[in-house]
Amino acid sequence: MMAAITIQALPHKITKSYVDRLSTPEAGQAFVRDSELKGFAVRVTSTGAKSFILEKRIDGKVKRLTLGRYPELTVEQARKEAHKLLGHIAVGRNPPAEKKQEALKGTTLQEAFEDFIKVRKNLKPRTLYDYQRVMQVVFADWQNKAMLEIGKDMIAKRHSKTGAERGEAYANLSMRFLRALFNFAIAQYEDDSGHAILRENPVMRLTQTRAWYRVDRRQTVIKPHQLAPWYQAILSLKQDQLSKQSALVADYLLFLLFTGLRRQEAATLKWSDIDLNDRSFTLTDTKNREPLTLPLTDFISDLLRSRKAATDSEYVFAGDGKAGYLIEPRRQVQKVTELSGVSFTLHDLRRTFITVAESIDISAYALKRLVNHKMTNDVTAGYIVSDVERLRKPMEEISAQLLRHFEINEEKKVLKFPVHQNP
């Protein structure tokens, strides 16, 4: 049995037998440099792993290039690779930079998305959720594909396919996301000269060929005559004993309708944001990034007091997922639609709130403040301060009008519906 060789500082000709006999350092790593080829060496770690390296000054700095691990790479193969790289360096090439550039060229869609969400730290939870869903649903088979391999024709075909299978609006949404991801990659990944690895955004094909679907903005609301049966369905949902979430979702839908909030603003509302004594609540994370305090009507105050007594969550509308709050109550919304015959989306409730407010001539300034719309082009609005108490009266008027549409007896708070006789 051949004795182990203690690693020394002096260079030695690197051969297979010599590498096999090298001892393992007690800690860290040690190097044995070749006596024949300058810069060629063997690195040995405390775990016993051995690999070949090449050390060479490139662009004024000493670089250490890993050639490969032993014994997967033989001494002869490593020496040959070292000669090859030295030749490249001699003619002015930069192998480390070229290797980095090749790695960047191979950046996959999934890797770019991971970098994207690391940089975009302020993405709202709902936005991040939507992006993740698009990656899983529309681009599942592209996640391990290099971005350089995703061409214009592929974009056009996937846009068309998604439109046919999932709807034109969703197809546009998915491609807007992909366009943003490519724009990020163009700015993020550069070679050593500062030039973008990706030179163009292939999603621009849709703009150049005018292939985007024309999707009209939704203008749907729950009409006045539909509000009574809709409310009856809400009460049925609230009394559903088969699901503990049913009553919570019923309250959530009513809260959306009576406040005009966006669904995410309401879903992420915490009890710490609500002051039941002052009958007000504060939105700290709004779409326009400006916090807003609004009044609570009598109807919503009663609803929240009942809700608070039935939960121990920090969120007003708690969810079963790890986010902690209600995400997407599709099943319950579908049940209300089936019971009432009124098809609606969560955003329809916001539009209904605005429509009812306009029908009773609520001040435009008050309404814009209630729904947190900016008034950047209105000089007069800049001089109007709409505090909570000034907004309380218009909020109560909107609430009263909704209750009238519900056909509620104000004294007994009982829903008045005709009794259906059995045939």
Side-chain angles (χ1 to χ4, degrees), residues 259-261 265 281 283 292-295 350 353 357 362-373 386 388 391-396 398:
T259 61
L261 292 189
E265 291 172 344
F281 67 101
L283 301 175
L292 176 67
T293 300
L294 294 171
R350 177 175 170 84
F353 174 89
I362 295 296
S363 161
Y365 297 119
L367 181 54
K368 282 181 177 290
R369 191 63 178 161
L370 287 172
V371 297
N372 206 20
H373 279 168
S386 298
V388 175
L391 293 174
R392 193 174 299 282
K393 182 180 178 181
M395 195 71 144
E396 287 287 3
I398 296 169

Side-chain angles (χ1 to χ4, degrees), residues 129-143 158 161-162 165-166 170 174 177 330:
Y129 171 80
D130 288 340
Y131 286 168
Q132 291 170 333
R133 282 290 299 163
V134 169
M135 284 288 289
Q136 295 166 4
V137 172
V138 181
F139 303 119
D141 57 333
W142 285 8
Q143 292 192 33
R158 183 56 55 93
K161 180 174 183 287
T162 306
E165 294 179 352
R166 298 189 171 272
Y170 197 74
S174 64
F177 157 73
R330 289 192 183 93

Side-chain angles (χ1 to χ4, degrees), residues 229-230 232-237 334-342:
W230 182 86
Q232 184 182 36
I234 291 292
L235 292 182
S236 296
L237 183 68
Q334 182 60 34
K335 183 173 182 180
V336 173
T337 295
E338 291 172 356
L339 290 172
S340 65
V342 180

Side-chain angles (χ1 to χ4, degrees), residues 109-309:
L109 191 68
Q110 179 61 32
E111 290 169 340
F113 180 58
E114 291 171 359
D115 289 342
F116 176 80
I117 59 180
K118 286 178 185 176
V119 173
R120 298 283 299 276
K121 299 181 181 67
N122 294 326
L123 285 175
K124 289 183 177 294
R126 177 67 202 191
T127 301
L128 179 58
Y129 171 80
D130 288 340
Y131 286 168
Q132 291 170 333
R133 282 290 299 163
V134 169
M135 284 288 289
Q136 295 166 4
V137 172
V138 181
F139 303 119
D141 57 333
W142 285 8
Q143 292 192 33
N144 295 323
K145 190 178 291 294
M147 296 191 76
L148 278 172
E149 297 176 5
I150 301 175
K152 297 177 181 179
D153 288 342
M154 294 171 60
I155 296 291
K157 290 178 182 177
R158 183 56 55 93
H159 181 239
S160 178
K161 180 174 183 287
T162 306
E165 294 179 352
R166 298 189 171 272
E168 296 177 352
Y170 197 74
N172 282 354
L173 170 68
S174 64
M175 288 303 164
R176 283 196 297 270
F177 157 73
L178 190 62
R179 180 176 60 191
L181 191 55
F182 265 99
N183 283 337
F184 166 80
I186 290 170
Q188 181 76 5
Y189 306 125
E190 299 178 342
D191 59 24
D192 279 2
S193 300
H195 297 133
I197 299 295
L198 292 163
R199 298 300 175 89
E200 62 178 342
N201 191 326
V203 184
M204 291 305 295
R205 164 69 66 85
L206 300 179
T207 300
Q208 293 161 351
T209 60
R210 298 185 179 182
W212 292 98
Y213 292 113
R214 179 175 178 177
V215 180
D216 294 330
R217 184 175 179 178
R218 288 182 63 99
Q219 297 294 333
T220 53
V221 298
I222 300 178
K223 297 177 181 178
H225 72 274
Q226 296 176 317
L227 282 168
W230 182 86
Y231 183 59
Q232 184 182 36
I234 291 292
L235 292 182
S236 296
L237 183 68
K238 196 173 179 65
Q239 295 163 4
D240 181 9
Q241 301 299 317
L242 298 179
S243 171
K244 64 178 183 179
Q245 283 291 88
S246 292
L248 180 141
V249 173
D251 286 346
Y252 173 65
L253 296 177
L254 286 170
F255 190 83
L256 288 176
L257 179 64
F258 277 78
T259 61
L261 292 189
R262 298 175 177 90
R263 60 183 182 181
Q264 188 72 4
E265 291 172 344
T268 56
L269 199 65
K270 296 181 178 179
W271 289 111
S272 57
D273 301 322
I274 294 174
D275 187 338
L276 288 173
N277 293 324
D278 185 53
R279 292 168 63 239
S280 65
F281 67 101
T282 300
L283 301 175
T284 57
D285 186 19
T286 62
K287 185 176 180 180
N288 61 22
R289 307 287 182 180
E290 295 181 0
L292 176 67
T293 300
L294 294 171
L296 290 171
T297 63
D298 292 340
F299 182 85
I300 293 299
S301 292
D302 291 343
L303 180 149
L304 290 177
R305 291 181 193 279
S306 297
R307 170 77 9 227
K308 188 172 179 60

Side-chain angles (χ1 to χ4, degrees), residues 1-6 17-23:
M1 181 177 179
M2 301 179 68
I5 299 174
T6 302
S17 61
Y18 186 77
V19 173
D20 286 337
R21 295 165 60 196
L22 285 174
S23 61

Side-chain angles (χ1 to χ4, degrees), residues 391-407:
L391 293 174
R392 193 174 299 282
K393 182 180 178 181
M395 195 71 144
E396 287 287 3
E397 289 175 349
I398 296 169
S399 178
Q401 183 67 7
L402 285 168
L403 293 173
R404 280 192 286 272
H405 288 313
F406 283 173
E407 299 180 11

